[in-house]
Structures are given as C-alpha cells and as structure tokens.
Amino acid sequence: MHRFTKAAGLALALLVAAPAVSVAAVQTAAAPANASQSRTALEYQLTERIFAQLDFDKLMTEAISQSFAGQTQGLPSGWDGLMRDALVEEIQAGRPRFIAILAPVMCRGLTDAELRAGSEFVSTPLFAKLMSSVAAGREPAFTRDEERQLQRFANSPAGAGFFAKLSQLSENSITPEVEEQLMVEFVPGFFRRFAEKAEADAARRRAARDA
C-alpha cells in the first residue's frame, strides 16, 4: 500500500479504536442537522470534521515524507526541502478532493440519521479528547459528566449505529480503486509544485553563477 493511502488507513485505524477505548462510555445529544442536506454533503461534512480532529494533513505529510527516505540522494542540495514543501502545499490544497474521495469509504453503511448524529458528535470537545487519548494509546480520563454524555450518545439508536459501523473500518477499507483515485488527485499537483520550486531555485543558482 502506498504511503499516501497508508496514512488514510492510519486515520481509519485511530477512528475505529475510539469506541473500544471507552467501553463504559460515548454521546452528547446531537442537534438535528438540516434535513435537506444531500447524502453526499452529509458524508463530506462528517469526514471533514473527523479528519480535522485527527490532524489528517500532518499524518499524510509524515507518512509520504517517509516514502522519500533514501530517494532524494543525488538531488541538488536543498531540493529535498523543496520536495517536502511541495508535498505539504499539495496536501493542504487538495484536502477537499481527498475528503470527497474518502467520504464514501468512511461513511459506508451509515444511515442519514447516523451521519447527522455522528457529525455533531465529532465536532464536540468530548470527541477531541477521546481521539487524543486513542492516538496516545491511553485510556481517556473522562469526568463523570463526560462519561454520562458519552453514554447517552453510545446508547442512542443513531450513536450506537454510528460506532458499530465505524468499528468495521480498517486499512483494508482503502481499496486499490480508492488508492488510485487519491494518487490521481495528488501526484500531478505535487510534481507541478516541486517543478516550479526547482525551476525557481535553478534560476537563482544560474543568476548567482553568472553574476
């Protein structure tokens, strides 16, 4: 699996771990979302909010940077930094496109009610605290009030369905077809940004040499 989609898989793995970390816990009452929202819009909204909590841009940047290890030898000095800058910029610029591709994967099987409830829940400080604990590999230290909120969410029909279906996600949820879509969106912009930076640096070096 390519480092790019490995990062997506890591995000899914962190998310899947969330319900299991708190067996005695998870749900604030979810405010009803706009009923007229399309299915696609609901999936995008939920996925965007989850990735915001996971710092998905950072996960992808670190994962893809690792794939460059040992592959930048022979480049002019400083160009490995240009490559990383291009990577960071393209991940940030392409984030809406990546989310649109991954949203159906993240939300497969969720009902509209579960999408709305989940979207509200992942926007809460409670979810942020839960994910922070999962990422650090420790049990979350919830207050009694937070545990009650989590219980309400996990025991509600929409909350129970939301967590049950998230638990079915894994790195394998990123199929070869999805991986290819992600790479088609990422690679051209990345190479274009790197080429522009490399050309600008080469021009500066030529100017300095000819001065």
Side-chain angles (χ1 to χ4, degrees), residues 36-185:
S36 67
Q37 280 185 293
S38 70
R39 172 80 189 187
T40 300
L42 286 171
E43 289 179 345
Y44 186 94
Q45 181 183 69
L46 174 60
T47 305
E48 182 180 40
R49 290 178 176 179
I50 288 173
F51 284 171
Q53 294 289 357
L54 293 174
D55 199 354
F56 191 59
D57 291 357
K58 182 180 179 181
L59 282 175
M60 288 203 296
T61 298
E62 291 178 347
I64 301 174
S65 293
Q66 291 175 21
S67 69
F68 293 148
Q71 298 182 27
T72 58
Q73 294 179 1
L75 287 177
S77 62
W79 281 22
D80 55 340
L82 298 182
M83 187 174 287
R84 181 177 175 82
D85 290 345
L87 179 134
V88 170
E89 291 173 9
E90 185 58 26
I91 287 175
Q92 292 174 344
R95 196 167 191 265
R97 302 193 305 276
F98 306 147
I99 290 174
I101 292 170
L102 291 168
V105 176
M106 298 282 289
C107 302
R108 185 176 295 127
L110 291 173
T111 66
D112 287 0
E114 290 162 352
L115 280 171
R116 292 189 179 97
S119 186
E120 293 295 333
F121 175 66
V122 301
S123 301
T124 64
L126 194 57
F127 180 76
K129 187 174 183 178
L130 177 63
M131 294 311 301
S132 176
S133 298
V134 170
R138 64 173 185 272
E139 285 284 333
F142 292 129
T143 65
R144 287 189 177 182
D145 182 59
E146 287 173 334
E147 287 187 1
R148 285 194 292 269
Q149 292 174 9
L150 288 167
Q151 288 267 12
R152 286 198 298 271
F153 184 71
N155 294 333
S156 70
F162 176 71
F163 279 125
K165 291 169 185 175
L166 284 184
S167 69
Q168 299 170 17
L169 292 171
S170 71
E171 287 187 10
N172 294 330
S173 299
I174 310 291
T175 64
E177 292 75 19
V178 172
E179 178 178 357
E180 183 170 280
Q181 292 176 42
L182 289 168
M183 295 310 298
V184 165
E185 289 296 333

